[in-house]
Amino acid sequence: MTQTNSEPHDIRTSLMSPLRSHVVVLFGGTGDLARRKLLPGLLHLNRAGLVPGCRIVATSLEELDDDAFRALAHDACREFGRGTWDEAAWEEFAATIAYVPQGDGADALAGAVGRAEADLGGDCRRLHYLSVPPAAARQVIAMLADADLVERSRVIMEKPFGVDLRSSRILNAAVHEVFREEQVFRIDHFLGKEAAQNILAFRFANGLFEPIWNRNHIDHVQIDVPETLSLGTRAGFYESTGAYRDMVVTHLFQVLAFMAMEPPTALEPLAISEEKNKVFRSMVPIPPSQVVRGQYLGYRDEPGVSAESETETFVALRCEIDNWRWAGVPFFLRTGKRLAEGARIISIAFREPPKSMFPAGSGVGAQGPDHLTFDLADASKLSLSFYGKRPGPGMKLDKLSLQFALHETGRAVDVLEAYERLIYDAMSGDHTLFTTSDGIERLWEVSTPLLEDPPPVRPYAPGSWGPNAIHQIIAPHTWRLPFERAWRE
Ligand code: BG6
C-alpha cells in the first residue's frame, strides 16, 4: 500500500480549514457507540446547521439494506438523541444515509461514497470514522486503501489503539502506510467534554492557581470515574478489553495530562501534544503492586462472558509523574462498572499548612485537606473547599466551599456533546483535542509491567465502591468519593 494523498504536509496548513461538505464513512455503523453517540451526534450537528452538507455511508459486518439501517438509526436517535424529537428533521437526515455491508467489499464501498459525493456536488471531504475494535482497525485501513478513499480524507480512530505496546506500534505503522499523521484523529471523547477543556481555561487563563499547581502545594490528586453502568450489549468487546484498557490507558491518563502538563507555548495542537507527551514520558511505569483489579460478582454470568473470566471490571491504581513539578505527588486513579454511584471527578488535595495554631478539637483538618474538585459531568461543576470559621463564640472550624456550575453561565444549551464536538473538530482539521501516536505508545510502554504481570482480580459486590484493597493503595489518604457533602443545587 502506498501513500496516495497529495495534500500539503504541514499540519498548520490544514488546521481549522473552513468546514466543507463531508461524506462520513461510518465503520461499525450498527455498533453500540454508533447507536448511542455517533448517529445521534451527527443528527444534532445536522440539525444545528454546523456542517454545511453531509452524507453518511454506514457499514458493518451485518447484511442490511439502506432501509433496514435507517430504521436502526431512527430507533437509536430516538432513544439516545438530545432535545425534542423532530420527525421532519429526522426524515431529512435519514435521506442522507446509505448503508453498505462490509462484506460487499471495497468496490461497493467506493461506489456508495462516489454516489454520496455526486449528491453533494464536488468539493467535499471524506471523514472515515473507525468505530471498530483494535483487531479490526488494520483491515478497515486496508479496505480504505483498496477502495481508493484516502485522498481528501481524514480518519477518526476509536480507542483502545491496540492492546499493548507491540500491537499499538503495529497498528500505527499500518495506519501510517496509508494515512499521514495529520490525517489521523485518535479520539478520546473525555477530551471533548466541555469540563475537560475547562481545566485548560481554569489553569492557564487565571493567575491565581498556576503558582501553586505543583509538589510544593499539592499533596495528592485523585481522578475517580466510577460508573453504575454494566456492560449492556458490549460483553464481546469488554471481555478482551477490561477496565484498564477501556478507561485508564485512554480517558483517565488523558485527563491526567491536562491536569499535570506544563503551560503550552500556544493553544494549538502541536504545542499541547508536546506538553501532554512530556507528562507521559515522565510517568513512572505502573508497578503491579500499586494496582487493584476487581471484578463484580455476577460478571461471569453475563451473556458472552467466560465462566473463568479474569477480565477486570474495576481498577484502582497509584501512579507518579517523576518531573520537577510533580515528583513525589501520588496520583490515584479509579474506575469500574456497577459501582455505587456514577461520577467523574478530579480532586486536588492541597498540603496542610506548615503549622496549626488552632486548638485541639477546633475541627481543623478533621474533614480532610482543602480541595479543588473538577466534576467532569455533562453539567460540569467546580468546587474549592476550605476550612472557615463556624459562626458564634470560640473558634470552631467547618469545611465550606465555593462552587460554580456550568448552568450558571446561562449557556448550557450551547454545549456540544463530546462526540459532536470532536467530530466537528475533525471535520475542521483541528487536532487540539486529539491524541498522538507517540503519546499513545508511551502510555502502553508505562503500562507494560502491569499488562505483563497483572495482579489477580478481586471480587466486589455490585453497588459497592470496589474491592476492600482500594483503601490500602491510597492510605494514609482516603478516597474523596462518596462525597461527605452533596453539591449545592
Ligand atoms: C467509553 C467506555 O469510552 O466511555 C465505556 O468504553 C464508558 O465503558 C464510557 O462507560 C464512559 O463515558 P461517559 O462519557 O459516559 O462518561
Side-chain angles (χ1 to χ4, degrees):
M1 280 175 289
T2 51
Q3 191 170 294
T4 52
N5 194 328
S6 58
E7 287 174 18
H9 277 241
D10 181 358
I11 190 168
R12 284 158 196 266
T13 57
S14 60
L15 266 187
M16 298 301 286
S17 45
L19 219 54
R20 305 221 304 252
S21 305
H22 271 83
V23 176
V24 177
V25 183
L26 179 55
F27 289 86
T30 55
D32 186 76
L33 180 68
R35 290 188 309 108
R36 279 175 185 276
K37 299 288 183 185
L38 307 180
L39 292 163
L42 286 163
L43 170 61
H44 179 81
L45 288 174
N46 200 287
R47 274 178 77 176
L50 286 167
V51 187
C54 186
R55 293 285 180 282
I56 297 167
V57 177
T59 175
S60 81
L61 299 178
E62 290 185 46
E63 291 290 328
L64 303 176
D65 60 15
D66 287 350
D67 286 339
F69 182 77
R70 285 180 191 148
L72 176 150
H74 173 271
D75 294 351
C77 291
R78 268 213 95 134
E79 186 175 353
F80 301 112
R82 302 196 284 150
T84 47
W85 182 251
D86 178 344
E87 192 64 32
W90 160 257
E91 291 295 343
E92 208 177 288
F93 179 65
T96 69
I97 304 178
Y99 183 83
V100 187
Q102 216 165 303
D104 287 5
D107 289 347
L109 184 68
V113 173
R115 286 189 292 283
E117 289 182 338
D119 263 7
L120 287 171
D123 183 31
C124 57
R125 283 192 159 275
R126 300 158 177 165
L127 182 69
H128 306 304
Y129 199 120
L130 272 54
S131 177
V132 296
R138 286 177 65 191
Q139 199 188 336
V140 169
I141 297 280
M143 186 174 183
L144 286 169
D146 289 348
D148 199 13
L149 291 174
V150 176
E151 247 178 81
R152 288 182 283 113
S153 74
R154 296 183 176 120
V155 51
I156 299 187
M157 298 189 63
E158 262 299 331
K159 53 101 232 197
F161 310 99
V163 293
D164 54 19
L165 180 58
R166 188 172 163 274
S167 57
S168 74
R169 283 187 174 148
I170 293 173
L171 177 58
N172 279 328
V175 171
H176 289 148
E177 271 180 39
V178 178
F179 293 98
R180 297 189 314 275
E181 178 67 11
E182 71 257 33
Q183 287 176 283
V184 183
F185 291 74
R186 294 177 190 76
I187 199 165
D188 189 300
H189 81 276
F190 267 48
L191 299 185
K193 291 179 188 283
E194 195 78 31
Q197 296 155 57
N198 208 23
I199 299 172
L200 299 183
F202 185 86
R203 287 190 57 194
F204 303 130
N206 300 294
L208 181 57
F209 285 100
E210 205 46 34
I212 58 164
W213 210 260
N214 56 51
R215 61 193 303 275
N216 298 327
H217 301 277
I218 291 179
D219 185 75
H220 68 275
V221 177
Q222 297 183 28
I223 302 180
D224 204 356
V225 186
E227 297 183 287
T228 52
L229 292 179
S230 159
L231 305 182
T233 54
R234 302 169 71 218
F237 162 78
Y238 202 83
E239 257 290 84
S240 58
T241 309
Y244 183 80
R245 290 183 172 96
D246 185 35
M247 295 292 287
V248 177
V249 82
T250 53
H251 308 322
L252 273 62
F253 282 162
Q254 291 296 330
V255 168
L256 181 149
F258 268 14
M259 189 279 155
M261 71 196 227
E262 296 301 314
T265 50
L267 204 61
E268 56 97 23
L270 286 179
I272 290 184
S273 305
E274 215 162 65
E275 296 308 335
K276 281 172 58 194
N277 290 350
K278 274 158 67 182
V279 172
F280 299 147
R281 285 204 291 277
S282 304
M283 273 173 81
V284 178
I286 312 289
S289 61
Q290 298 298 319
V291 180
V292 175
R293 293 167 72 235
Q295 187 185 73
Y296 64 79
L297 289 165
Y299 174 73
R300 293 177 184 178
D301 304 327
E302 300 269 12
V305 172
S306 148
E308 278 105 48
S309 174
E310 290 291 318
T311 300
E312 79 283 353
T313 60
F314 172 98
V315 62
L317 58 98
R318 173 196 160 109
C319 67
E320 285 182 36
I321 302 168
D322 197 15
N323 64 12
W324 277 53
R325 191 186 278 260
W326 296 114
V329 178
F331 286 72
F332 300 104
L333 276 48
R334 168 169 69 173
T335 186
K337 302 288 183 203
R338 297 214 61 188
L339 295 178
E341 281 174 31
R344 306 173 196 114
I345 64 151
I346 305 179
S347 171
I348 296 158
F350 294 102
R351 283 193 190 284
E352 286 177 12
K355 175 152 176 52
S356 177
M357 78 279 280
F358 296 95
S362 64
V364 69
Q367 294 171 67
D370 37 326
H371 285 104
L372 178 65
T373 309
F374 291 90
D375 181 339
L376 305 186
D378 295 333
S380 67
K381 300 187 214 72
L382 185 67
S383 149
L384 180 63
S385 63
F386 58 93
Y387 283 91
K389 184 182 171 305
R390 185 185 300 170
M395 183 53 98
K396 290 272 187 211
L397 301 166
D398 281 327
K399 196 97 176 266
L400 308 171
S401 65
L402 296 167
Q403 295 189 6
F404 164 77
L406 177 97
H407 68 76
E408 289 166 28
T409 61
R411 308 199 63 151
V413 290
D414 292 344
V415 173
L416 286 180
E417 200 277 330
Y419 280 98
E420 293 165 7
R421 161 75 199 241
L422 294 172
I423 290 172
Y424 179 81
D425 283 2
M427 285 179 170
S428 317
D430 183 354
H431 274 89
T432 309
L433 298 173
F434 292 84
T435 59
T436 63
S437 53
D438 288 359
I440 284 162
E441 288 182 12
R442 172 62 188 162
L443 289 176
W444 285 121
E445 193 177 20
V446 299
S447 305
T448 302
L450 171 64
L451 297 177
E452 286 184 346
D453 183 20
V457 285
R458 297 164 189 260
Y460 63 94
S464 70
W465 288 95
N468 280 334
I470 55 168
H471 303 297
Q472 286 147 25
I473 60 166
I474 202 169
H477 315 293
T478 53
W479 293 96
R480 279 298 301 291
L481 292 174
F483 285 135
E484 68 279 11
R485 288 162 301 123
W487 290 93
R488 279 200 286 281
E489 282 308 314

